[in-house]
Amino acid sequence: MISPWERLHSTRCCLCCHVRTGTIILGIWYMLINAVVLLILLTALSDPDQYHLTSAELANDLDVMDDANICIASAISLLMIVICGMATYGAYKLHAAWIIPFFSYQVFDFALNALVAVSVVVYPNTIQDYLQQLPGNFPYREEIMSMSNVCLVLIVLLFITSILAFKAYLMMCVWSCYRYVSGRSAAEILVYVTNTNDTTVLLPQYDDTMALPTKQAQPPFMLA
């Protein structure tokens, strides 16, 4: 049996907020972020000359702001808005299945960040390669490149570990919301089935019972 403290702890996030409310807030927050990103991408798509970055500005041969990449990023942002909206609606209307796509996205995002952390440990020289690809006017670029490789790896690992811990906490909040909504839906179904199949047995009154004729006792069994 689950204790009241464990039940309270399993349905709370961010110290005092219910997991259902936290999931709704998280879904709305993700929708706002992706809506802003989608607006910026559509603006860049409508005016490519203003937002176009040349290879000289990026200090590499990659052109990250071409029309194809902007269209792909816009489609991803639009898909994320739909997924976050489904999670918000599912948490509000108590539909557990609507929360699954958002939770799957969180798991996928956590796995990608974990792979980045592993790649930093396995290939520490990639940090220096990434710093060399930054634009020349990037703030504190020379100071960062002057640091030792071990120090850079430790700083990046600490930063990625903090992000992973925060993402894991948000992922557990959404999973707790899914369990809460699923358990509540199952409880409501059980109550409905119990109420529809409930039969009341009415016992006869005492006077009616006494008025009934008594059965005669059977004659004793006699041997032949």
Side-chain angles (χ1 to χ4, degrees), residues 138-152:
F138 189 82
Y140 305 103
R141 179 175 180 270
E142 299 298 331
E143 289 79 0
I144 296 175
M145 292 186 64
S146 62
M147 297 175 63
S148 63
N149 198 14
V150 177
C151 185
L152 284 175

Side-chain angles (χ1 to χ4, degrees), residues 16-90:
C16 61
C17 184
H18 195 274
V19 290
R20 185 184 168 198
T21 306
T23 303
I24 294 174
I25 295 174
L26 185 62
I28 295 175
W29 174 250
Y30 270 79
M31 278 195 297
L32 291 176
I33 293 177
N34 286 277
V36 172
V37 172
L38 181 61
L39 181 62
I40 294 174
L41 292 173
L42 293 178
T43 305
L45 189 62
S46 62
D47 190 5
D49 296 333
Q50 182 179 356
Y51 296 92
H52 184 77
L53 297 179
T54 61
S55 59
E57 293 175 345
L58 294 174
N60 53 26
D61 298 331
L62 297 177
D63 190 7
V64 297
M65 295 299 291
D66 58 350
D67 294 341
N69 291 333
I70 292 178
C71 292
I72 294 174
S74 301
I76 294 175
S77 299
L78 183 61
L79 179 62
M80 283 301 305
I81 292 174
V82 174
I83 291 175
C84 298
M86 290 174 60
T88 304
Y89 179 81

